[in-house]
Amino acid sequence: MSDGQGHFGHAHIAPASMYYAVFAALIVGTVLTVAAAKVDMGVFNNVVMLLIACTKATLVILFFMHVRWASRLTWVVAMAGFFWLLLLFAVIGDYISRGWVPGTLR
Amino acid sequence: METVNYLNNGHGLKSWLLTKDHKRIALLYLVSITLFFVIGGFFAMLVRLELLTPAGDLLTAETYNKMFTMHGVVMVFFFLIPSIPAVLGNFLIPIMVGAKDLAFPRINLLSWYIYVLGGIFTLVAALSGGVDTGWTFYTPYSTAAANGHVITAALGVFITGFSSILTGLNFIVTIHRMRAPGLTWFRLPLFVWSHYATSLIMILGTPVIAITVLLVAAERGLHLGIFDPALGGDPVLFQHLFWFYSHPAVYIMILPAMGVISEIVQAFTRKNIFGYSFVAFSSLAIAIIGFLVWGHHIFVAGQSVYAGMIFSFLSFVVAIPSAIKVFNWTATIYKGSVSFDSPMLYAFGFIGLFTIGGLTGLFLAAMGLDIHVHDTYFVVAHFHYIMVGGAIMGYLGGLHYWWPKITGRLYPEGWAKFSALMIFSGFNLTFFPQFVAGYLGMPRRYHAYPPEFQVLNVASTLGASILAVGYVIPLIYFAYSMVAGEKSVNDPWGARGLEWEIPSPPPTENFTVSPVVTEGTHQYVHASQEAGLA
Amino acid sequence: MPDAHHGEHFPGPIHQPPLVANLEAIQPHDFVHLPHHPKLQHHFDDMAQQIDASTLGMWVFLVTEIMFFGGLFAAYLVYRHASPEGFAEASHHLNVTWGAVNTIVLIVSSLTMALAVRSAQTSAPPKTQVAWIAATMVLGAAFLGVKAIEYTDKFTHHLVPGPNFHWTGKHPQAAEIFYSLYFCMTGLHATHMIIGLGIMTVIGIMAWRRQFDEDYYTPVEIAGLYWHFVDIVWIFLFPLLYLIGGHFTE
């Protein structure tokens, strides 16, 4: 027996219409991101593109992967994964900060 | 008439090779890990023999490079990282949480087969001519120039990484979801806490080295050009990705040993640990902060000074939770009813040697000092103090402490004390001179050195010989104990914990019904209370 | 060989309160087999614990997959930062139409996968379950087919890094790095798709054998988690590889 964390028994069953709605949102997101790539917004192209991708991923995680109705532990595990991914991206910090300390070679 | 326990429940090779019992899998790991320890030790022996004389006269430079490389690869990936989790963790965690087995028994068995497969790849690489890149596989040497079987060895490391990942996955799910009724987090043994923290690192870090060695193999085999400057790649990026895992990996090696020490110290001082929650949270803090310090391996390789300053600061911070543990173990021992049985000798050794190793880590964390001692024997001595003086002592201490539980037999205590002392003295004679040699400037990974370092090297090799004998003696008496050792009772040490409530050796299913836990698993009544005093 | 009696100075715990409430029970005795779901594995206490553990296990595994792909994304980040124009120039050669088609294909396959899980959750007839699973597999195979077309195109245009790589634009080194990452990232992703097809085959066979209903559908659920994850990776790969720079060729 677990000590009370997480759900037991029957899971939440979403109506099929919910899946179709999320699907439609994902298609819209794809169309948007292709269209936005054709417009020159400078550095904002990247921002828009990442925002759309993150929104799509969030929809898949919350609804297709049922995290919306899952235990807090599942939510923590999913968040930890993405947080650690961002931590790995901190590697870019080295490259960006080269030359920031005056009087040093790098 | 012998009772049915996990050892005699099922006979024959198939019952062992296809077992789902976590205890049998732990023994499968024990056998293979011991084998790799011997192999890794063999390579070390050749290194130390070469270093008896300043000239490179025993081995060619290239062969010497292969020796220290294979020593590192085998010891890090095939001994230190799996050792305590795969042997003691596998055996004890289900029992300590009051469960019949880990969450995924078949995945547990799979993890052993994956480990063996990775080991075979690495042995093939060694026997076909070896690898000479250092266990760190730095590019572009490993991808473009190294002569040797880099791809085979890299794939061996890649495959074995999955064994680590599956072990960590199993532990996390087991600890979260299979605790017995009443066993809340803060009633768990500290051994479990440290393995939980270790498992977090296994899950979050190992995949990064997996992709990194895969890229090394791809670059070498397919000329893909990710890390090779000639193809537009960045060798420092390799170092970033490599150390992002390999620094937390050293915490995979030490955290389980710390968990063992917490258990032994409580049992042999007959006291509850001082500051239980501080020790528990320190395990988590070490795991998490350990992910923030990898750049201290890249101070002199081209990393920005700004990044170096941040990594240096964080490397000082990560020492704090380790220090908290050392303080708390010491406070537990203070005014405890201390007895000096062999597991406790290993614990004392650990506390002293780990402290020295940890303090010298602070030298390395200081950027200015690191410039002087980077790539010298100072670094070599530092990490051997932690990994041999720390992790291996923890492993041996744990093996001794839980041997009666695992095998139902007692080992000869006199020989155990003798070899513990031999290991301690051999270890210090081997590695303390290396601090001096390194600080005086002797570089690491050189097969020839200036004559002024010879005395220190001879002392070190002498120490290594003593250390080697010290390691062989337990192999003999442990094996002996399994056939002719005195039989053990459930709880030969008078220790507290769920594992001591069940028979030695345990039945296959550990518990036939879930134990209902009513209090923390280590409630030692203090000696003075026992005697009826205040 | 000499030995010592262990525990001589340890008289054993005295006056200690019991650690467990049911000390007698945890000693071995005759095991009583209580009725339970046929799919309950015996080291679990009940189906709820088994379902919880399996789902958590798959999520922990997906975290390792995030970090596995993460290394490649980190490399991408570093190299794109180093030569943004080079990456944009290299990206132009990728066919956005094929990339967008593949993105749509995977999104549809995620829908069919989610509906496959739902069909098991609602005890739909096995034929329905198998139909949704088969649809997912067909879409996955279509995705791989498109990738095969794209890879062949790269090969004929000398865009495969190595001795045959040939770039006529302004940033040949950045282009070679870009295509190294392109092949590594999409190749690793495609490998995961192939493994996913294998998993779906097993699930499909189990569904055909009427093994899933509202009381037991865990394998479909966790296969679904894996499939959605592979979709999410592509959701990021598509814009990062195909949509840099704003111009694209047909």
Side-chain angles (χ1 to χ4, degrees):
Chain A
M1 281 294 197
S2 298
D3 66 347
Q5 279 203 331
H7 67 279
F8 303 114
H10 291 291
H12 169 274
I13 300 180
S17 56
M18 181 210 77
Y19 293 109
Y20 286 109
V22 172
F23 166 75
L26 293 171
I27 299 293
V28 166
T30 307
V31 170
L32 269 180
T33 204
V34 173
K38 295 193 193 186
V39 179
D40 188 4
M41 296 181 274
V43 70
F44 280 106
N45 274 106
N46 293 326
V47 176
V48 167
M49 177 258 291
L50 272 176
L51 267 176
I52 295 177
C54 286
T55 308
K56 288 165 76 176
T58 308
L59 286 172
V60 173
I61 291 171
L62 285 178
F63 297 103
F64 282 178
M65 297 172 88
H66 301 148
V67 172
R68 173 83 175 71
W69 305 281
S71 65
R72 205 171 62 129
L73 178 62
T74 305
W75 192 90
V76 167
V77 170
M79 285 297 104
F82 283 102
F83 180 75
W84 243 258
L85 179 68
L86 293 179
L87 181 59
L88 181 56
F89 290 165
V91 164
I92 194 73
D94 168 27
Y95 294 89
I96 291 177
S97 63
R98 294 203 180 162
W100 279 13
V101 178
T104 62
L105 289 172
R106 33 187 155 91
Chain B
M1 184 166 107
E2 213 185 349
T3 50
V4 177
N5 58 59
Y6 81 99
L7 286 171
N8 56 30
N9 187 8
H11 296 276
L13 205 55
K14 236 177 76 165
S15 76
W16 281 89
L17 293 180
L18 294 177
T19 183
K20 292 193 291 189
D21 182 0
H22 64 101
K23 300 181 288 299
R24 286 194 166 197
I25 294 171
L27 290 186
L28 290 176
Y29 267 110
L30 176 63
V31 169
S32 34
I33 279 170
T34 307
L35 174 69
F36 278 104
F37 180 66
V38 170
I39 294 172
F42 167 75
F43 289 120
M45 178 187 80
L46 288 170
V47 167
R48 287 291 357 140
L49 280 177
E50 168 67 89
L51 291 176
L52 270 175
T53 58
D57 45 10
L58 182 67
L59 307 166
T60 63
E62 189 181 298
T63 307
Y64 179 80
N65 294 353
K66 291 179 180 178
M67 293 300 110
F68 69 68
T69 300
M70 298 312 300
H71 169 70
V73 170
V74 168
M75 286 305 203
V76 168
F77 294 111
F78 294 93
F79 176 69
L80 283 165
I81 284 177
S83 58
I84 298 177
V87 178
L88 297 173
N90 261 332
F91 194 96
L92 292 164
I93 287 179
I95 300 174
M96 286 182 170
V97 301
K100 292 196 175 84
D101 206 315
L102 290 175
F104 308 115
R106 284 171 297 189
I107 288 183
N108 196 13
L109 182 65
L110 178 66
S111 80
W112 181 73
Y113 278 104
I114 292 175
Y115 168 85
V116 170
L117 181 64
I120 290 174
F121 266 76
T122 307
L123 286 178
V124 165
L127 293 170
S128 320
V131 180
D132 65 344
T133 58
W135 79 276
T136 45
F137 290 107
Y138 274 17
T139 61
Y141 184 64
S142 61
T143 54
N147 34 18
H149 301 264
V150 174
I151 294 181
T152 318
L155 288 177
V157 171
F158 173 75
I159 293 168
T160 303
F162 285 100
S163 173
S164 200
I165 285 173
L166 292 178
T167 300
L169 189 155
N170 232 332
F171 286 174
I172 288 177
V173 178
T174 304
I175 296 170
H176 270 286
R177 285 288 180 252
M178 295 180 72
R179 281 170 287 130
L183 191 46
T184 57
W185 281 88
F186 287 100
R187 287 176 175 173
L188 284 170
L190 289 168
F191 181 88
V192 177
W193 274 98
S194 59
H195 276 77
Y196 181 76
T198 306
S199 302
L200 291 178
I201 307 175
M202 285 170 161
I203 292 299
L204 294 165
T206 315
V208 179
I209 196 175
I211 191 69
T212 308
V213 293
L214 207 58
L215 285 173
V216 166
E219 181 162 295
R220 190 176 170 85
L222 305 171
H223 304 288
L224 273 183
I226 309 272
F227 304 124
D228 187 348
L231 297 166
D234 182 357
V236 175
L237 176 63
F238 171 83
Q239 295 186 31
H240 273 296
L241 293 177
F242 177 85
W243 288 112
F244 185 87
Y245 164 74
S246 298
H247 187 84
V250 313
Y251 298 111
I252 293 179
M253 299 183 232
I254 200 66
L255 276 170
M258 289 173 158
V260 170
I261 299 306
S262 291
E263 299 297 318
I264 290 177
V265 162
Q266 292 178 92
F268 292 91
T269 57
R270 302 196 46 74
K271 262 178 84 179
N272 295 335
I273 191 85
F274 179 88
Y276 169 94
S277 41
F278 272 84
V279 179
F281 282 123
S282 290
S283 293
L284 293 180
I286 291 170
I288 294 169
I289 305 175
F291 267 101
L292 306 178
V293 302
W294 78 87
H296 66 228
H297 298 270
I298 319 178
F299 282 150
V300 297
Q303 180 178 258
S304 82
V305 176
Y306 199 82
M309 286 174 0
I310 295 177
F311 281 120
S312 173
F313 171 72
L314 288 167
S315 302
F316 277 90
V317 171
V318 79
I320 295 174
S322 293
I324 288 176
K325 289 194 178 208
V326 173
F327 296 149
N328 286 18
W329 291 322
T330 310
T332 309
I333 296 171
Y334 178 66
K335 289 202 174 166
S337 177
V338 183
S339 86
F340 295 89
D341 291 80
S342 42
M344 192 59 179
L345 291 182
Y346 282 108
F348 275 118
F350 178 100
I351 295 172
L353 298 176
F354 171 75
T355 302
I356 295 174
L359 287 173
T360 52
L362 294 176
F363 281 59
L364 294 162
M367 279 169 37
L369 277 172
D370 186 67
I371 294 173
H372 177 64
V373 290
H374 176 78
D375 267 350
T376 68
Y377 262 85
F378 191 90
V379 180
V380 176
H382 155 73
F383 63 69
H384 281 93
Y385 261 78
I386 308 268
M387 296 208 275
V388 183
I392 298 189
M393 290 237 172
Y395 179 60
L396 288 174
L399 275 183
H400 283 78
Y401 178 50
W402 282 295
W403 192 258
K405 178 58 55 185
I406 295 171
T407 61
R409 306 281 187 148
L410 303 174
Y411 53 83
E413 174 65 15
W415 281 103
K417 284 199 169 81
F418 175 73
S419 47
L421 293 170
M422 196 173 191
I423 288 173
F424 183 79
S425 27
F427 169 84
N428 280 298
L429 184 57
T430 309
F431 292 106
F432 195 82
Q434 293 185 10
F435 274 129
V436 181
Y439 203 78
L440 292 174
M442 179 174 170
R444 64 185 289 199
R445 295 177 169 175
Y446 274 43
H447 79 132
Y449 55 82
E452 62 255 35
F453 295 114
Q454 182 169 23
V455 174
L456 292 166
N457 274 289
V458 170
S460 181
T461 301
L462 175 61
S465 318
I466 297 170
L467 187 58
V469 175
Y471 285 138
V472 167
I473 298 175
L475 280 178
I476 300 173
Y477 64 64
F478 276 146
Y480 167 83
S481 77
M482 293 203 68
V483 291
E486 187 184 325
K487 292 227 169 133
S488 167
V489 297
N490 283 15
D491 186 7
W493 307 113
R496 300 281 282 167
L498 276 176
E499 75 270 28
W500 301 111
E501 307 284 343
I502 62 177
S504 304
T508 301
E509 68 273 14
N510 303 336
F511 311 93
T512 41
V513 297
S514 280
V516 176
V517 178
T518 51
E519 55 169 16
T521 55
H522 293 82
Q523 295 302 322
Y524 289 90
V525 175
H526 196 266
S528 62
Q529 290 172 273
E530 272 177 5
L533 302 169
Chain C
M1 276 199 169
D3 73 355
H5 281 287
H6 296 279
E8 268 177 346
H9 19 264
F10 287 95
I14 50 174
H15 311 305
Q16 308 252 32
L19 174 58
V20 298
N22 56 344
L23 188 60
E24 290 298 308
I26 65 176
Q27 299 299 322
H29 58 69
D30 290 4
F31 182 59
V32 176
H33 200 134
L34 299 164
H36 57 73
H37 191 286
K39 289 292 188 181
L40 177 67
Q41 295 166 36
H42 282 91
H43 56 285
F44 288 114
D45 291 332
D46 52 41
M47 283 305 280
Q49 190 185 47
Q50 179 171 308
I51 292 168
D52 241 6
S54 305
T55 324
L56 178 61
M58 177 48 84
W59 271 107
V60 173
F61 177 71
L62 291 181
V63 167
T64 70
E65 292 275 54
I66 292 175
M67 297 307 290
F68 192 48
F69 277 95
L72 289 174
F73 280 95
Y76 171 94
L77 185 61
V78 167
Y79 285 120
R80 182 163 164 187
H81 167 80
S83 37
E85 304 95 24
F87 264 46
E89 183 185 287
S91 169
H92 295 173
H93 254 266
L94 292 181
N95 189 314
V96 171
T97 308
W98 278 132
V101 162
N102 257 354
T103 309
I104 307 278
V105 163
L106 272 194
I107 291 175
V108 178
S109 80
S110 263
L111 173 67
T112 56
M113 182 74 235
L115 291 173
V117 176
R118 189 174 181 282
S119 70
Q121 266 181 325
T122 52
S123 293
K127 276 203 306 215
T128 311
Q129 298 177 28
V130 173
W132 284 119
I133 292 169
T136 310
M137 292 177 68
V138 165
L139 291 161
F143 177 91
L144 290 172
V146 170
K147 288 263 32 103
I149 296 172
E150 290 185 277
Y151 277 15
T152 314
D153 171 84
K154 302 288 163 299
F155 185 73
T156 41
H157 284 101
H158 299 283
L159 292 174
V160 177
N164 291 326
F165 187 82
H166 182 63
W167 184 258
T168 51
K170 279 198 292 193
H171 307 272
Q173 259 200 351
E176 188 158 13
I177 298 270
F178 175 86
Y179 280 100
S180 294
L181 285 171
Y182 169 81
F183 278 104
C184 284
M185 295 169 95
T186 60
L188 188 64
H189 178 263
T191 308
H192 280 79
M193 281 295 304
I194 295 170
I195 293 171
L197 287 180
I199 294 173
M200 297 308 291
T201 308
V202 171
I203 299 295
I205 293 173
M206 290 173 80
W208 180 264
R209 291 193 180 149
R210 324 180 96 80
Q211 290 187 11
F212 300 133
D213 59 21
E214 62 197 9
D215 290 320
Y216 178 70
Y217 58 89
T218 322
V220 194
E221 168 101 44
I222 62 181
L225 290 177
Y226 177 84
W227 192 267
H228 294 307
F229 170 77
V230 178
D231 182 24
I232 289 175
V233 173
W234 184 261
I235 284 174
F236 285 96
L237 282 184
F238 171 57
L240 286 175
L241 292 173
Y242 288 78
L243 299 180
I244 317 174
H247 316 281
F248 33 84
T249 61
E250 273 304 296

